[in-house]
mmCIF file of all heavy atoms in Angstrom:
data_model
loop_
_atom_site.group_PDB
_atom_site.id
_atom_site.type_symbol
_atom_site.label_atom_id
_atom_site.label_comp_id
_atom_site.label_asym_id
_atom_site.label_seq_id
_atom_site.Cartn_x
_atom_site.Cartn_y
_atom_site.Cartn_z
ATOM 1 N N LEU B 476 -10.420 -11.623 2.175
ATOM 2 C CA LEU B 476 -11.490 -10.972 2.934
ATOM 3 C C LEU B 476 -12.851 -11.787 2.731
ATOM 4 O O LEU B 476 -13.551 -11.973 3.605
ATOM 5 C CB LEU B 476 -11.766 -9.528 2.409
ATOM 6 C CG LEU B 476 -10.606 -8.565 2.660
ATOM 7 C CD1 LEU B 476 -10.925 -7.176 1.987
ATOM 8 C CD2 LEU B 476 -10.472 -8.357 4.242
ATOM 9 N N ALA B 477 -13.005 -12.354 1.588
ATOM 10 C CA ALA B 477 -14.215 -13.238 1.299
ATOM 11 C C ALA B 477 -14.164 -14.415 2.237
ATOM 12 O O ALA B 477 -15.201 -14.997 2.526
ATOM 13 C CB ALA B 477 -14.255 -13.605 -0.138
ATOM 14 N N ALA B 478 -12.874 -14.886 2.527
ATOM 15 C CA ALA B 478 -12.792 -16.103 3.440
ATOM 16 C C ALA B 478 -12.981 -15.750 4.847
ATOM 17 O O ALA B 478 -13.078 -16.687 5.703
ATOM 18 C CB ALA B 478 -11.337 -16.758 3.173
ATOM 19 N N GLY B 479 -13.059 -14.420 5.149
ATOM 20 C CA GLY B 479 -13.336 -14.019 6.450
ATOM 21 C C GLY B 479 -12.137 -14.006 7.550
ATOM 22 O O GLY B 479 -12.399 -14.179 8.717
ATOM 23 N N VAL B 480 -10.962 -13.954 7.107
ATOM 24 C CA VAL B 480 -9.763 -13.919 7.877
ATOM 25 C C VAL B 480 -9.634 -12.677 8.714
ATOM 26 O O VAL B 480 -10.212 -11.692 8.317
ATOM 27 C CB VAL B 480 -8.449 -14.207 7.244
ATOM 28 C CG1 VAL B 480 -8.451 -15.579 6.504
ATOM 29 C CG2 VAL B 480 -8.181 -13.121 6.190
ATOM 30 N N GLU B 481 -8.924 -12.729 9.867
ATOM 31 C CA GLU B 481 -8.752 -11.510 10.629
ATOM 32 C C GLU B 481 -7.583 -10.578 10.128
ATOM 33 O O GLU B 481 -7.691 -9.380 10.227
ATOM 34 C CB GLU B 481 -8.469 -11.919 12.079
ATOM 35 C CG GLU B 481 -9.571 -12.736 12.784
ATOM 36 C CD GLU B 481 -9.144 -13.299 14.050
ATOM 37 O OE1 GLU B 481 -9.257 -12.606 15.121
ATOM 38 O OE2 GLU B 481 -8.663 -14.395 14.119
ATOM 39 N N TYR B 482 -6.643 -11.239 9.589
ATOM 40 C CA TYR B 482 -5.379 -10.467 9.176
ATOM 41 C C TYR B 482 -4.985 -10.939 7.804
ATOM 42 O O TYR B 482 -5.106 -12.202 7.471
ATOM 43 C CB TYR B 482 -4.280 -10.719 10.192
ATOM 44 C CG TYR B 482 -4.653 -10.022 11.561
ATOM 45 C CD1 TYR B 482 -5.131 -10.835 12.535
ATOM 46 C CD2 TYR B 482 -4.228 -8.723 11.799
ATOM 47 C CE1 TYR B 482 -5.438 -10.296 13.740
ATOM 48 C CE2 TYR B 482 -4.588 -8.150 13.011
ATOM 49 C CZ TYR B 482 -5.119 -9.012 14.078
ATOM 50 O OH TYR B 482 -5.433 -8.430 15.223
ATOM 51 N N VAL B 483 -4.428 -10.101 6.990
ATOM 52 C CA VAL B 483 -3.898 -10.423 5.708
ATOM 53 C C VAL B 483 -2.445 -9.979 5.528
ATOM 54 O O VAL B 483 -2.199 -8.820 5.829
ATOM 55 C CB VAL B 483 -4.781 -9.729 4.589
ATOM 56 C CG1 VAL B 483 -4.165 -9.989 3.213
ATOM 57 C CG2 VAL B 483 -6.239 -10.120 4.651
ATOM 58 N N VAL B 484 -1.582 -10.853 5.226
ATOM 59 C CA VAL B 484 -0.196 -10.587 4.994
ATOM 60 C C VAL B 484 0.128 -10.421 3.535
ATOM 61 O O VAL B 484 -0.391 -11.313 2.746
ATOM 62 C CB VAL B 484 0.740 -11.661 5.671
ATOM 63 C CG1 VAL B 484 2.188 -11.455 5.260
ATOM 64 C CG2 VAL B 484 0.658 -11.609 7.121
ATOM 65 N N GLN B 485 0.789 -9.577 3.106
ATOM 66 C CA GLN B 485 1.225 -9.403 1.746
ATOM 67 C C GLN B 485 2.776 -9.527 1.631
ATOM 68 O O GLN B 485 3.429 -8.984 2.524
ATOM 69 C CB GLN B 485 0.780 -8.130 1.082
ATOM 70 C CG GLN B 485 1.344 -6.862 1.717
ATOM 71 C CD GLN B 485 1.062 -5.699 0.906
ATOM 72 O OE1 GLN B 485 0.033 -4.906 1.129
ATOM 73 N NE2 GLN B 485 1.899 -5.356 -0.097
ATOM 74 N N MET B 486 3.322 -10.398 0.776
ATOM 75 C CA MET B 486 4.714 -10.494 0.601
ATOM 76 C C MET B 486 5.125 -10.995 -0.728
ATOM 77 O O MET B 486 4.226 -11.499 -1.489
ATOM 78 C CB MET B 486 5.270 -11.631 1.747
ATOM 79 C CG MET B 486 4.788 -12.963 1.490
ATOM 80 S SD MET B 486 5.300 -14.124 2.830
ATOM 81 C CE MET B 486 7.084 -13.940 2.724
ATOM 82 N N ASP B 487 6.405 -10.827 -1.068
ATOM 83 C CA ASP B 487 6.914 -11.261 -2.398
ATOM 84 C C ASP B 487 7.086 -12.791 -2.453
ATOM 85 O O ASP B 487 7.351 -13.356 -1.372
ATOM 86 C CB ASP B 487 8.183 -10.510 -2.645
ATOM 87 C CG ASP B 487 7.990 -9.054 -2.836
ATOM 88 O OD1 ASP B 487 6.862 -8.608 -3.002
ATOM 89 O OD2 ASP B 487 9.031 -8.318 -2.858
ATOM 90 N N ALA B 488 7.102 -13.334 -3.626
ATOM 91 C CA ALA B 488 7.254 -14.767 -3.804
ATOM 92 C C ALA B 488 8.685 -15.033 -3.995
ATOM 93 O O ALA B 488 9.093 -16.370 -4.047
ATOM 94 C CB ALA B 488 6.537 -15.198 -5.060
ATOM 95 N N ASP B 489 9.625 -14.211 -4.049
ATOM 96 C CA ASP B 489 11.114 -14.470 -4.270
ATOM 97 C C ASP B 489 11.970 -14.815 -3.185
ATOM 98 O O ASP B 489 13.150 -14.831 -3.292
ATOM 99 C CB ASP B 489 11.655 -13.370 -5.185
ATOM 100 C CG ASP B 489 11.633 -12.040 -4.392
ATOM 101 O OD1 ASP B 489 11.308 -11.954 -3.188
ATOM 102 O OD2 ASP B 489 11.972 -11.003 -5.088
ATOM 103 N N LEU B 490 11.332 -14.774 -1.977
ATOM 104 C CA LEU B 490 12.017 -15.081 -0.665
ATOM 105 C C LEU B 490 12.890 -13.899 -0.243
ATOM 106 O O LEU B 490 13.752 -14.139 0.593
ATOM 107 C CB LEU B 490 12.748 -16.334 -0.747
ATOM 108 C CG LEU B 490 11.938 -17.602 -0.873
ATOM 109 C CD1 LEU B 490 12.791 -18.759 -1.246
ATOM 110 C CD2 LEU B 490 11.248 -17.853 0.361
ATOM 111 N N SER B 491 12.792 -12.647 -0.781
ATOM 112 C CA SER B 491 13.390 -11.576 -0.239
ATOM 113 C C SER B 491 12.846 -11.155 1.120
ATOM 114 O O SER B 491 13.529 -10.589 1.924
ATOM 115 C CB SER B 491 13.308 -10.303 -1.214
ATOM 116 O OG SER B 491 11.948 -10.078 -1.480
ATOM 117 N N HIS B 492 11.571 -11.454 1.298
ATOM 118 C CA HIS B 492 10.955 -11.386 2.600
ATOM 119 C C HIS B 492 11.015 -12.696 3.339
ATOM 120 O O HIS B 492 10.640 -13.714 2.767
ATOM 121 C CB HIS B 492 9.510 -11.049 2.448
ATOM 122 C CG HIS B 492 9.284 -9.684 1.775
ATOM 123 N ND1 HIS B 492 8.295 -9.430 0.854
ATOM 124 C CD2 HIS B 492 10.002 -8.500 1.786
ATOM 125 C CE1 HIS B 492 8.418 -8.163 0.469
ATOM 126 N NE2 HIS B 492 9.395 -7.607 0.963
ATOM 127 N N GLN B 493 11.485 -12.700 4.588
ATOM 128 C CA GLN B 493 11.584 -14.000 5.399
ATOM 129 C C GLN B 493 10.301 -14.366 5.968
ATOM 130 O O GLN B 493 9.782 -13.620 6.886
ATOM 131 C CB GLN B 493 12.757 -13.725 6.468
ATOM 132 C CG GLN B 493 13.939 -13.276 5.894
ATOM 133 C CD GLN B 493 14.514 -14.147 4.891
ATOM 134 O OE1 GLN B 493 14.996 -15.336 5.062
ATOM 135 N NE2 GLN B 493 14.763 -13.665 3.582
ATOM 136 N N PRO B 494 9.681 -15.431 5.613
ATOM 137 C CA PRO B 494 8.458 -15.879 6.149
ATOM 138 C C PRO B 494 8.351 -15.993 7.712
ATOM 139 O O PRO B 494 7.415 -15.864 8.417
ATOM 140 C CB PRO B 494 8.230 -17.264 5.587
ATOM 141 C CG PRO B 494 8.925 -17.159 4.253
ATOM 142 C CD PRO B 494 10.293 -16.395 4.578
ATOM 143 N N GLU B 495 9.610 -16.345 8.269
ATOM 144 C CA GLU B 495 9.589 -16.469 9.717
ATOM 145 C C GLU B 495 9.326 -15.183 10.525
ATOM 146 O O GLU B 495 9.245 -15.200 11.782
ATOM 147 C CB GLU B 495 11.052 -17.047 10.121
ATOM 148 C CG GLU B 495 11.435 -18.477 9.660
ATOM 149 C CD GLU B 495 11.548 -18.555 8.188
ATOM 150 O OE1 GLU B 495 11.924 -17.517 7.492
ATOM 151 O OE2 GLU B 495 11.462 -19.619 7.601
ATOM 152 N N THR B 496 9.385 -14.034 9.771
ATOM 153 C CA THR B 496 9.062 -12.822 10.451
ATOM 154 C C THR B 496 7.414 -12.675 10.530
ATOM 155 O O THR B 496 7.065 -11.807 11.300
ATOM 156 C CB THR B 496 9.551 -11.601 9.710
ATOM 157 O OG1 THR B 496 11.029 -11.836 9.398
ATOM 158 C CG2 THR B 496 9.416 -10.287 10.357
ATOM 159 N N ILE B 497 6.660 -13.399 9.949
ATOM 160 C CA ILE B 497 5.183 -13.210 9.916
ATOM 161 C C ILE B 497 4.624 -13.328 11.395
ATOM 162 O O ILE B 497 3.812 -12.409 11.710
ATOM 163 C CB ILE B 497 4.481 -14.306 9.087
ATOM 164 C CG1 ILE B 497 4.823 -13.950 7.532
ATOM 165 C CG2 ILE B 497 3.009 -14.320 9.269
ATOM 166 C CD1 ILE B 497 4.302 -15.018 6.587
ATOM 167 N N PRO B 498 5.084 -14.222 12.250
ATOM 168 C CA PRO B 498 4.585 -14.214 13.581
ATOM 169 C C PRO B 498 4.864 -12.916 14.370
ATOM 170 O O PRO B 498 4.043 -12.442 15.178
ATOM 171 C CB PRO B 498 5.306 -15.411 14.249
ATOM 172 C CG PRO B 498 5.565 -16.296 13.189
ATOM 173 C CD PRO B 498 5.888 -15.444 12.029
ATOM 174 N N GLU B 499 5.980 -12.259 14.006
ATOM 175 C CA GLU B 499 6.360 -10.999 14.674
ATOM 176 C C GLU B 499 5.484 -9.894 14.196
ATOM 177 O O GLU B 499 5.069 -9.014 14.966
ATOM 178 C CB GLU B 499 7.818 -10.725 14.398
ATOM 179 C CG GLU B 499 8.206 -9.527 15.235
ATOM 180 C CD GLU B 499 9.736 -9.258 15.248
ATOM 181 O OE1 GLU B 499 10.465 -10.162 14.825
ATOM 182 O OE2 GLU B 499 10.254 -8.331 15.913
ATOM 183 N N LEU B 500 5.276 -9.923 12.775
ATOM 184 C CA LEU B 500 4.158 -8.894 12.340
ATOM 185 C C LEU B 500 2.831 -9.055 13.039
ATOM 186 O O LEU B 500 2.169 -8.162 13.513
ATOM 187 C CB LEU B 500 3.994 -9.177 10.817
ATOM 188 C CG LEU B 500 5.188 -8.896 9.894
ATOM 189 C CD1 LEU B 500 4.769 -9.263 8.510
ATOM 190 C CD2 LEU B 500 5.618 -7.414 9.953
ATOM 191 N N LEU B 501 2.344 -10.309 13.132
ATOM 192 C CA LEU B 501 1.084 -10.570 13.856
ATOM 193 C C LEU B 501 1.086 -10.141 15.289
ATOM 194 O O LEU B 501 0.196 -9.490 15.789
ATOM 195 C CB LEU B 501 0.681 -12.027 13.723
ATOM 196 C CG LEU B 501 -0.526 -12.481 14.406
ATOM 197 C CD1 LEU B 501 -1.705 -11.834 13.850
ATOM 198 C CD2 LEU B 501 -0.645 -13.998 14.363
ATOM 199 N N GLY B 502 2.189 -10.579 15.930
ATOM 200 C CA GLY B 502 2.261 -10.317 17.409
ATOM 201 C C GLY B 502 2.321 -8.743 17.590
ATOM 202 O O GLY B 502 1.827 -8.249 18.583
ATOM 203 N N THR B 503 2.972 -7.962 16.730
ATOM 204 C CA THR B 503 3.049 -6.557 16.894
ATOM 205 C C THR B 503 1.667 -5.851 16.708
ATOM 206 O O THR B 503 1.267 -5.061 17.456
ATOM 207 C CB THR B 503 4.031 -5.964 15.898
ATOM 208 O OG1 THR B 503 5.281 -6.508 16.111
ATOM 209 C CG2 THR B 503 4.090 -4.360 15.905
ATOM 210 N N ALA B 504 0.939 -6.495 15.628
ATOM 211 C CA ALA B 504 -0.389 -5.979 15.494
ATOM 212 C C ALA B 504 -1.236 -6.212 16.622
ATOM 213 O O ALA B 504 -2.087 -5.328 17.198
ATOM 214 C CB ALA B 504 -0.988 -6.649 14.272
ATOM 215 N N LEU B 505 -1.208 -7.344 17.297
ATOM 216 C CA LEU B 505 -2.108 -7.652 18.463
ATOM 217 C C LEU B 505 -1.669 -6.854 19.686
ATOM 218 O O LEU B 505 -2.507 -6.466 20.414
ATOM 219 C CB LEU B 505 -1.968 -9.132 18.709
ATOM 220 C CG LEU B 505 -2.650 -9.999 17.673
ATOM 221 C CD1 LEU B 505 -2.298 -11.549 17.843
ATOM 222 C CD2 LEU B 505 -4.200 -9.867 17.805
ATOM 223 N N ALA B 506 -0.408 -6.675 19.794
ATOM 224 C CA ALA B 506 0.171 -5.944 21.014
ATOM 225 C C ALA B 506 -0.060 -4.480 21.022
ATOM 226 O O ALA B 506 -0.239 -3.746 21.974
ATOM 227 C CB ALA B 506 1.608 -6.226 21.125
ATOM 228 N N THR B 507 -0.120 -3.914 19.714
ATOM 229 C CA THR B 507 -0.230 -2.442 19.549
ATOM 230 C C THR B 507 -1.611 -1.930 19.057
ATOM 231 O O THR B 507 -1.845 -0.760 18.937
ATOM 232 C CB THR B 507 0.808 -1.918 18.726
ATOM 233 O OG1 THR B 507 0.610 -2.385 17.295
ATOM 234 C CG2 THR B 507 2.243 -2.216 19.180
ATOM 235 N N ASP B 508 -2.448 -2.978 18.687
ATOM 236 C CA ASP B 508 -3.748 -2.685 17.994
ATOM 237 C C ASP B 508 -3.483 -1.772 16.735
ATOM 238 O O ASP B 508 -4.361 -0.915 16.345
ATOM 239 C CB ASP B 508 -4.636 -1.833 18.958
ATOM 240 C CG ASP B 508 -6.172 -1.892 18.512
ATOM 241 O OD1 ASP B 508 -6.462 -2.842 17.884
ATOM 242 O OD2 ASP B 508 -6.817 -0.792 18.628
ATOM 243 N N ALA B 509 -2.381 -2.119 16.068
ATOM 244 C CA ALA B 509 -2.122 -1.486 14.675
ATOM 245 C C ALA B 509 -3.022 -2.143 13.709
ATOM 246 O O ALA B 509 -3.225 -3.267 13.620
ATOM 247 C CB ALA B 509 -0.682 -1.628 14.349
ATOM 248 N N GLY B 510 -3.393 -1.239 12.778
ATOM 249 C CA GLY B 510 -4.269 -1.721 11.596
ATOM 250 C C GLY B 510 -3.298 -2.116 10.427
ATOM 251 O O GLY B 510 -3.666 -2.834 9.533
#
């Protein structure tokens, strides 16, 4: 937030979450105006 970004993603470091899904998270937020 101090860096002034528009969106913040939180994820685990152990690769249980697939980084390639991040664009889909972002696109969904932009398409639906989800917070």
